[in-house]
Amino acid sequence: MLLLSRSEEIILAAIWKLKIEAYGVTIREQIYNDIGHYWSFGVIYKTLKKMVRKEYVRRFETDPSSERGGRAKYVYELTEEGVTCLAEIQKINADVWAGITDLTYAKK
Amino acid sequence: MRKNRYKRINKGNVPLFGRLLLRLLMPTDDYREFIGNLNEIYLKTRQHSSALFCWFWCWIRVIESIPAIITETVSWRLIMLSNYIKVAFRNLKKYKAYSFINLSGLAIGMACFLLITLYVKNEFRYDTFHNDHDRLFRVIRHYSNSFGQDELLVGGTPAPIAERMIDEMAEVENGVTIGELNGILTINDNDLREVGIFAGESFFDMFSFVVLAGKPKESLNKPFTIILSKSLSEKMFADENPVGRVFRFTKLKNLSRGPNEKEEYDVTVTGIFEDVPRASHLQFEYIISLATVASTPGNEQRLDSWGMSHYYNYVKLSNPEPGAELVKMLEEYTDRFRKGDVGKYILQPLEDIHWNEQVVDDIPGHGANSLKNAYILMSIAFVILLIACINYMNLASARFSVRLKEIGLRKVIGAEKMQLFYQYMGESLFMSVFAGLIGAGIAVAALPYYSLLVGRELHWTEFVSFSSLGILVLLTIIAGTISGIYPALFATGFKLVAILQSRGSGSKKGSLFRNSLVVVQYGISIFLIASTIVVFRQIQFIKNSDIGYNRENIVVIPLQNYGAIGKNILEDLKANSSVIAVSGSYEIPLTLNNVSHYSKGDKSISVYMSGIGYDFVDVFELEIVDGRNFSREYGRDKETSIIVNEAFVEKFGLTDPVGKLMKPSDHEVIGVVKNFQQSSMRQNIVPMFFFLSADKDTYITARISPDNIPETVSFIEETMEKYSSESNFDYWFQDEYFDKIYKSDQRAGQIFGLFAGLSIFIACLGMYGLASFSIEKRAKEIAVRKVVGASSFEILIIVFRPFLKWVVIANIFAVPAIFFVMNKWLQEFIYKIDIDVWIYILSGLIGIFVTILAVGYQSYRSATSNPVDMLKCE
C-alpha cells in the first residue's frame, strides 16, 4: 500500500466527512475548517485529479441544481479503495504518533 | 442542452480574461467544474460585498490556482509529447521505405527551393549595395521605329553628357562618366592583361565601392593615375604598398568600338579599392582616371565630343523619380547637340541595368538576366515544393489508413479531436524539420556545381544570413503545415465506430482526394517535361537554322597593329593551303555597330553599315543573289560601291537594285546578298549594307579547312607573332561567338531541364510509395485472384490500371497548359519552332514510362509472389 501524500490525505478526509455533499466549494470549506486556511482551487483540483487517476475517488456530474443557478455540480465520492487507504493512513498516523503525548518535552 | 449549459456558465461572473486563461490551460470538463465552483462562491459573497471586491476575489482565486494547474497540465502534455515522438520514430523505423521516400522527396524539394531562391535572391541583389541606389540612373539612348526595330535601347552615350546635366539641371546632384577599358599592365617585365574602366573623379562619390588606400576624392582627378583592386595589387606588388608606384600601361583597342589609337603610357598608383562585389554590373580590376583619355596625343577633344557615343554616363538625382522637366530637357539634348540622330536620351534606373537584356552596346563584362527567367525559376521552385508536399500528403494519408487502429485506440481511451490533430500536424512538422536539415545539407553540397550551372559564384556562407535562415525556417513550417494538414484532418475525421468496424481501407472520399493530388502532381511533371523539350528544341533550332552564312571553321583575329601589317598577314595566310579564304573586316564580323543614312524620297532612313575586305563574302559564304562581289578590278569599289542585303532592298523599295545610286552620297549598289542572321534570333533581320574598308581593317577573318584545325591555328599563331610585337595573340571561332549570344537561353534551358528532372523524380518517388502501399493493401485480393487462376500478366494490368488512368487524366490537363504557356514563351523569338503534336505525345509517354518504372517493380513482385504467403497469415 502506497503512502498518501499529506494533501491527498487531507482531501480524502474532507470528502469522507462531507459524505455525499463533497464538491469543490464544500471541500474547500472543509479544509479551511480542518487546517485553518484556504487552499487555492488549483491545488485542490490538481490533487483531486491525481486521486481520480489512482481511483481513490470518483467524480460525478449531478443534475443541475437551483442552488448554483441551474448549473451542474461535480461531486466527489470515495471509492472502496479510497476508504481502505484512508483507514490505513489513520492507522499509520495512530502508530506514528503513539507514545508521543507532550511535545514540549522534546523542546527542552 | 449540453451546449446551452456551457454557454450560461461562460456568461458567469468570473472575469473574461480569467476565463480565457483557464480555458487555455484546462480540459473542457475540468474548466466547467472550476468555473462552476467559483461562480457559486461568487454569488454567495456578492450578497454582502461590493462587485469590485468580488471581482478581485475571483481574480485572486484564478491567479493563485495557476501554478498548480500548469504543473498538472504541462506535465501531462509532456508525457503525451514523448509518446507522440516515440510513435513517430517507431513509424519511421517500421516503414523504412516509406520514410525514405517521404523524407528524400521533401528534402530534395527543399534543396531545390533553397538553391533557386538563393540564385534569384542573388540576382535581385545586383547593384543594390550602393548607398542611395534608388537615386542612381544611367543615361541611355532610346530609338523607336529605327534600324528596322520597333524599339531599341543603346547603352553608349557621349562623354560630355553627365557634366552637362550637372550644370544645367538642379535635380542632378552628381554624375560620372565611365569608359570601357582593356589593357596590359607591365610590372618588372611581367604582362598582366586585365579589364578595367576609365572613370571620372566623382566615381567614388557616386558608387559605394570601398577605397582601402588613398583618398577617394583625389585618386582619379589627375591624368595618368590608376587605382587598383586589392587582389590585382596583391598580384602585382605582393605585400608592398603600391601607392606611388609607376608602371607601364598598354591600352588595347576596344573590340566592339572599332579602331582606336593604340596607346601606351606610364601610370601612377594612387590607391587600392576593395574587390568589386560579384553582384555589380560594373566589373573591373582597376580604374584609370578619365582625364587620361584627353591627355593622349590626338585625343584632346575626345571627352568634349558629342559625336562618339562610346561612354557610359551615370547620374545621381535628388529624388528616386526623375521630374517631368528633367525628362523633357534630357530629350532635347539630341536636337541641341546631335542633329540628325533620332534617338532620345532617357534615364535607366541603376537596378534595371541587370534586368534589361534589351540594351545593346552595354558595358562589357556583365551578363544581364531576364526578369522573366527569374520569375519562371521562382515558380518552378514553388511547384517543386508543392509536388514534394503533395507526396507527403498522399503517402501520409494513405499510411493513416494503416494506422487506423492506432487512431481508433487513441480515441477509445479518450483522445480529443484536437489532440489527434496536433499529433499528426506535429509529426509532419517533425518530418519537415528533418527534411529541411537534410535539404539544406544537400543544397550546400550541390552549391559548387549549381554555381557552374547558373554561371554565378554562389557561396554557402550566403545561407548563413538572417533572411536565408528565415526562409528555411518559414519553408519548413509551411511545408510541414501544408503537407500535414490534410492527413491530420483525415485522421481526426474518422468516426470511431467506422474505424473499429471496418478493417483497413480508408474512405472512398479520401482516396478520391489522393487520386486528384496525384493527377495534379503528374500534370505538373508532364508540363515541365514538355516545357523542357520545347526550350531545348528551340535552342537547337536556333543553332541549326539557316542563318544565311556558314559559321563553321571561321577564325576571327583582332589586330593590335594594323595598316600595312594587316595586308602582309593576309598574304601570308593566303599562302597556306589549309586556309581556304581570308579577308579583313572593320568590326567584329556581322555585328552591327555603325550607322549611316540614306534617303528614300524626302525621308532619311537609318541603316547599319559594316566595313569588309575583298574576299569577306567568300569567307562567310554569304550568298550573292544579284549583282557581284567587291572586286580589285574596279577601282571605284573602294570609294562608292556598296553591297546590300535583301531587307535593305525591301526597306527602300528598290525594284532593280543593282546599279541604283543611293542618295544623298550617291553610293552605287553593286550586289545584293541573301538575308543572313545578324545578331540575336530574338531580333528581326535589319536592313544593312557592306562597304569596302580594305585598308582600315582591324579584324582578320579566315575560313580554314576542317582538317588539321590545330595545325592551321598554330600556323596562324606563328604568322601573327611574326608581325606583332606582342605575344598576346587573341582569336576566336565565329561559331563560339555566336553561341555566346545564346548562352543565357541555353543556361535557362539547362536549369529548367535540371529542375524538371528533379520534379519528375520526386513525383516518381511518390508514385512508387503509393504503388507499394496500394499493392500491400490489395495483397489478399491479388492472391485470391491468382488462386482462382489469373495470370501474372493480368495481375500486372490490374495493378497498373489505376495509375495509368491518373497519368492519362493528368495529360488531359497538362496539354492546354503546355500549349498556352510555351506559345507565350516562344512569342519572343522571330524564328521559332511549332509545338508539334509529338511533343505532347512524347511527354505523356515519358510520364507513362516513368510510372511504369515506378510501379513496375512493386507490381512485378506482387504478380509473381506466391499467393500462399499472402493468405496463410489469417
Side-chain angles (χ1 to χ4, degrees):
Chain A
M1 171 60 53
L2 280 164
L3 277 176
L4 287 171
S5 77
R6 194 74 186 145
S7 51
E8 284 170 337
E9 181 190 332
I10 291 168
I11 289 180
L12 276 187
I15 294 173
W16 170 259
K17 285 181 218 165
L18 289 165
K19 307 285 178 211
I20 55 163
E21 263 303 296
Y23 67 99
V25 178
T26 51
I27 293 173
R28 186 165 169 272
E29 271 320 310
Q30 184 62 47
I31 291 170
Y32 175 74
N33 292 337
D34 290 348
I35 64 174
H37 63 90
Y38 283 112
W39 281 8
S40 82
F41 277 113
V43 171
I44 300 172
Y45 156 78
K46 186 182 163 186
T47 320
L48 276 171
K49 270 207 87 109
K50 205 194 276 173
M51 288 192 298
V52 169
R53 279 198 299 275
K54 288 182 178 170
E55 295 184 356
Y56 295 158
V57 295
R58 264 194 294 270
R59 190 171 77 157
F60 294 104
E61 191 178 351
T62 63
D63 290 333
S65 69
S66 56
E67 149 191 16
R68 271 157 81 100
R71 289 175 198 114
K73 278 185 224 163
Y74 291 82
V75 174
Y76 292 86
E77 182 190 82
L78 292 183
T79 60
E80 248 169 72
E81 208 173 331
V83 177
T84 324
C85 256
L86 203 55
E88 198 140 328
I89 206 96
Q90 193 184 22
K91 190 175 167 289
I92 290 172
N93 276 344
D95 290 350
V96 169
W97 289 95
I100 305 174
T101 47
D102 187 8
L103 282 174
T104 49
Y105 167 78
K107 261 185 183 171
K108 250 191 226 166
Chain B
M1 180 195 144
R2 208 183 155 86
K3 221 173 184 173
N4 249 341
R5 193 172 58 204
Y6 181 54
K7 215 171 158 186
R8 237 194 340 260
I9 291 169
N10 260 344
K11 271 187 192 159
N13 306 304
V14 182
L16 178 69
F17 281 110
R19 284 201 317 259
L20 287 178
L21 201 63
L22 291 175
R23 186 73 200 88
L24 212 66
L25 291 171
M26 302 172 81
T28 319
D29 241 23
D30 299 348
Y31 164 76
R32 279 216 292 267
E33 179 185 350
F34 200 111
I35 294 292
N37 289 336
L38 271 187
N39 271 339
E40 189 181 322
I41 306 179
Y42 179 92
L43 288 176
K44 262 186 218 150
T45 328
R46 185 69 186 84
Q47 288 164 6
H48 48 84
S49 323
S50 71
L52 190 67
F53 175 83
C54 292
W55 186 85
F56 271 114
W57 184 87
C58 268
W59 259 118
I60 290 164
R61 296 290 85 80
V62 170
I63 289 167
E64 71 178 5
S65 297
I66 282 175
I69 295 175
I70 284 181
T71 50
E72 168 73 15
T73 318
V74 168
S75 72
W76 280 100
R77 286 195 181 159
L78 279 177
I79 290 168
M80 281 315 283
L81 187 70
S82 72
N83 174 272
Y84 293 156
I85 291 175
K86 206 192 289 170
V87 170
F89 262 113
R90 272 185 202 154
N91 271 312
L92 264 183
K93 265 201 286 194
K94 190 168 171 195
Y95 306 105
K96 280 199 191 75
Y98 154 81
S99 315
F100 174 75
I101 287 167
N102 232 339
L103 269 180
S104 54
L106 213 53
I108 293 172
M110 291 222 199
C112 291
F113 191 92
L114 276 178
L115 286 175
I116 293 176
T117 40
L118 194 67
Y119 168 70
V120 173
K121 207 181 105 190
N122 180 61
E123 292 300 288
F124 274 101
R125 233 179 31 190
Y126 261 76
D127 295 321
T128 53
F129 60 90
H130 300 296
N131 297 332
D132 304 322
H133 57 85
D134 54 334
R135 293 197 278 132
L136 292 174
F137 291 83
R138 178 170 75 168
V139 186
I140 57 173
R141 272 179 294 163
H142 175 259
Y143 290 89
S144 52
N145 279 320
S146 304
F147 309 115
Q149 310 277 357
D150 296 338
E151 196 177 38
L152 186 71
L153 297 170
V154 185
T157 43
I161 202 163
E163 213 42 55
R164 178 67 68 160
M165 284 175 77
I166 299 174
D167 288 347
E168 292 183 355
M169 302 170 183
E171 238 179 286
V172 179
E173 283 183 357
N174 206 347
V176 69
T177 305
I178 289 171
E180 54 189 86
L181 179 60
N182 191 0
I184 298 163
L185 302 91
T186 314
I187 182 95
N188 304 335
D189 291 333
N190 271 336
D191 286 353
L192 280 173
R193 190 174 173 164
E194 300 284 352
V195 173
I197 52 171
F198 283 121
E201 50 188 299
S202 48
F203 184 79
F204 289 107
D205 288 341
M206 289 275 291
F207 299 111
S208 309
F209 297 106
V210 184
V211 177
L212 298 174
K215 293 183 186 121
K217 291 211 192 285
E218 290 160 28
S219 54
L220 294 170
N221 60 357
K222 285 191 224 50
F224 305 115
T225 55
I226 189 168
I227 172 164
L228 305 171
S229 78
K230 194 171 163 233
S231 55
L232 182 60
S233 154
E234 275 163 12
K235 232 193 292 183
M236 292 177 73
F237 301 101
D239 294 336
E240 289 171 60
N241 180 8
V243 177
R245 294 281 293 263
V246 178
F247 62 88
R248 194 87 184 141
F249 179 78
T250 314
K251 181 177 176 299
L252 298 174
K253 68 196 212 59
N254 288 337
L255 292 183
S256 55
R257 287 286 180 228
N260 241 337
E261 299 308 312
K262 182 188 155 189
E263 291 155 2
E264 264 189 80
Y265 31 76
D266 287 330
V267 287
T268 313
V269 180
T270 54
I272 305 175
F273 59 88
E274 185 75 73
D275 287 357
V276 175
R278 290 191 294 269
S280 163
H281 83 280
L282 290 167
Q283 290 292 336
F284 50 90
E285 289 296 328
Y286 54 90
I287 309 172
I288 293 182
S289 60
L290 191 69
T292 313
V293 175
S295 307
T296 52
N299 286 331
E300 290 82 1
Q301 302 305 314
R302 234 183 139 80
L303 291 179
D304 303 322
S305 158
W306 283 83
M308 280 176 295
S309 301
H310 291 182
Y311 295 89
Y312 304 96
N313 289 282
Y314 296 81
V315 290
K316 184 186 216 169
L317 305 186
S318 49
N319 294 309
E321 275 297 315
E325 201 183 331
L326 184 151
V327 172
K328 199 166 153 265
M329 233 165 129
L330 193 58
E331 275 186 1
E332 284 162 1
Y333 271 25
T334 356
D335 284 343
R336 270 171 69 192
F337 303 108
R338 280 171 67 92
K339 272 239 148 35
D341 187 358
V342 289
K344 298 271 178 246
Y345 291 113
I346 58 168
L347 291 179
Q348 179 187 28
L350 190 71
E351 280 146 84
D352 183 54
I353 295 176
H354 181 62
W355 292 111
N356 203 326
E357 284 187 314
Q358 259 190 309
V359 177
V360 297
D361 186 20
D362 207 335
I363 194 153
H366 121 257
N369 201 344
S370 104
L371 205 53
K372 203 168 70 173
N373 281 351
Y375 286 141
I376 291 177
L377 264 180
M378 237 16 247
S379 9
I380 290 184
F382 279 109
V383 160
I384 288 184
L385 197 63
L386 184 71
I387 291 182
C389 285
I390 289 180
N391 252 359
Y392 184 92
M393 257 195 230
N394 259 345
L395 289 175
S397 63
R399 204 78 253 177
F400 277 144
S401 31
V402 174
R403 285 173 72 178
L404 277 181
K405 276 190 196 128
E406 181 198 328
I407 298 168
L409 211 60
R410 279 186 193 279
K411 285 203 163 188
V412 166
I413 56 174
E416 287 181 31
K417 263 195 174 183
M418 276 324 264
Q419 271 179 312
L420 282 175
F421 182 78
Y422 287 140
Q423 181 193 348
Y424 294 118
M425 246 353 227
E427 219 167 275
S428 117
L429 275 174
F430 169 76
M431 282 292 260
S432 78
V433 168
F434 207 46
L437 289 177
I438 298 175
I442 295 175
V444 170
L447 206 54
Y449 311 101
Y450 181 69
S451 299
L452 283 181
L453 182 71
V454 297
R456 298 267 186 271
E457 278 180 56
L458 302 169
H459 199 252
W460 70 269
T461 45
E462 281 163 40
F463 278 120
V464 193
S465 74
F466 185 70
S467 59
S468 297
L469 290 180
I471 288 177
L472 186 63
V473 170
L474 207 69
L475 193 63
T476 315
I477 292 173
I478 290 173
T481 314
I482 292 179
S483 48
I485 196 143
Y486 175 67
L489 288 175
F490 182 72
T492 51
F494 281 129
K495 289 249 160 45
L496 180 55
V497 183
I499 295 174
L500 297 179
Q501 272 177 347
S502 78
R503 329 202 58 202
S505 78
S507 65
K508 198 130 205 166
K509 218 167 74 193
S511 72
L512 181 71
F513 183 77
R514 273 207 294 284
N515 294 349
S516 34
L517 283 183
V518 170
V519 168
V520 170
Q521 221 177 9
Y522 259 67
I524 293 171
S525 299
I526 289 166
F527 171 77
L528 288 178
I529 300 176
S531 311
T532 314
I533 296 176
V534 171
V535 171
F536 269 108
R537 268 187 54 83
Q538 173 68 21
I539 292 164
Q540 279 304 312
F541 172 78
I542 288 171
K543 284 171 106 179
N544 301 333
S545 58
D546 180 18
I547 49 165
Y549 68 95
N550 183 351
R551 89 173 89 88
E552 306 289 323
N553 302 318
I554 294 177
V555 181
V556 180
I557 310 150
L559 294 177
Q560 298 300 344
N561 296 318
Y562 19 84
I565 298 171
K567 218 170 214 168
N568 292 339
I569 296 174
L570 281 186
E571 295 303 321
D572 276 20
L573 290 181
K574 239 179 238 173
N576 190 307
S577 60
S578 297
V579 177
I580 296 167
V582 58
S583 173
S585 75
Y586 187 71
E587 308 165 60
I588 294 181
L590 306 184
T591 58
L592 304 172
N593 281 315
N594 289 314
V595 178
S596 182
H597 312 276
Y598 286 119
S599 47
K600 176 192 185 186
D602 51 0
K603 228 171 71 191
S604 176
I605 294 176
S606 310
V607 283
Y608 283 107
M609 60 178 184
S610 180
I612 57 173
Y614 279 105
D615 301 316
F616 188 85
V617 172
D618 298 331
V619 172
F620 280 81
E621 295 181 4
L622 294 167
E623 192 183 328
I624 294 190
V625 290
D626 201 357
R628 61 173 177 87
N629 190 2
F630 293 120
S631 166
R632 290 177 183 82
E633 287 162 28
Y634 297 86
R636 65 188 155 90
D637 273 5
K638 268 189 191 178
E639 312 295 330
T640 57
S641 297
I642 58 172
I643 295 177
V644 302
N645 68 352
E646 288 170 324
F648 184 99
V649 174
E650 203 181 309
K651 184 85 185 173
F652 287 87
L654 307 173
T655 37
D656 186 17
V658 176
K660 281 264 155 55
L661 295 179
M662 296 308 296
K663 303 284 175 199
S665 38
D666 281 339
H667 287 159
E668 186 193 353
V669 177
I670 59 161
V672 177
V673 290
K674 206 177 137 196
N675 274 344
F676 59 91
Q677 194 60 49
Q678 288 137 329
S679 49
S680 165
M681 275 282 182
R682 288 182 201 252
Q683 282 157 17
N684 271 317
I685 291 175
V686 300
M688 59 118 31
F689 66 91
F690 291 115
F691 65 96
L692 208 51
S693 60
D695 295 336
K696 291 173 250 155
D697 288 343
T698 56
Y699 289 89
I700 288 180
T701 54
R703 167 167 298 282
I704 60 175
S705 142
D707 318 314
N708 295 330
I709 289 177
E711 271 173 48
T712 317
V713 168
S714 64
F715 164 75
I716 296 173
E717 252 169 79
E718 278 163 31
T719 315
M720 293 300 299
E721 268 166 46
K722 210 162 79 185
Y723 290 102
S724 167
S725 55
E726 290 152 24
S727 51
N728 286 300
F729 168 67
D730 202 21
Y731 69 92
W732 66 81
F733 283 90
Q734 178 73 10
D735 47 353
E736 286 171 14
Y737 182 80
F738 188 85
D739 281 349
K740 235 192 259 172
I741 299 174
Y742 293 104
K743 204 141 192 186
S744 78
D745 278 333
Q746 225 164 343
R747 191 161 268 163
Q750 282 166 348
I751 298 173
F752 292 164
L754 172 75
F755 287 116
L758 280 174
S759 78
I760 294 159
F761 177 70
I762 297 173
C764 273
L765 279 180
M767 204 57 136
Y768 178 84
L770 270 188
S772 57
F773 164 72
S774 96
I775 287 163
E776 196 177 297
K777 236 170 55 175
R778 294 174 69 179
K780 288 210 181 88
E781 177 202 329
I782 291 168
V784 171
R785 278 179 194 275
K786 283 188 84 170
V787 170
V788 185
S791 67
S792 294
F793 181 71
E794 280 164 325
I795 300 282
L796 272 183
I797 296 287
I798 287 166
V799 175
F800 269 135
R801 206 161 42 201
F803 290 96
L804 289 182
K805 194 172 72 193
W806 301 338
V807 177
V808 170
I809 296 172
N811 260 315
I812 294 170
F813 284 113
V815 166
I818 298 167
F819 181 80
F820 181 73
V821 176
M822 285 335 278
N823 269 326
K824 196 124 199 180
W825 184 75
L826 285 172
Q827 257 171 22
E828 227 177 81
F829 294 89
I830 305 290
Y831 300 91
K832 59 190 171 203
I833 54 163
D834 293 320
I835 306 179
D836 295 328
V837 179
W838 70 262
I839 292 180
Y840 299 112
I841 296 175
L842 180 67
S843 29
L845 282 179
I846 291 177
I848 290 172
F849 176 71
V850 159
T851 317
I852 291 176
L853 269 188
V855 185
Y857 170 68
Q858 296 282 344
S859 337
Y860 174 77
R861 222 171 48 170
S862 78
T864 53
S865 66
N866 188 349
V868 176
D869 296 333
M870 291 297 147
L871 294 174
K872 72 180 174 192
C873 60
E874 224 165 85

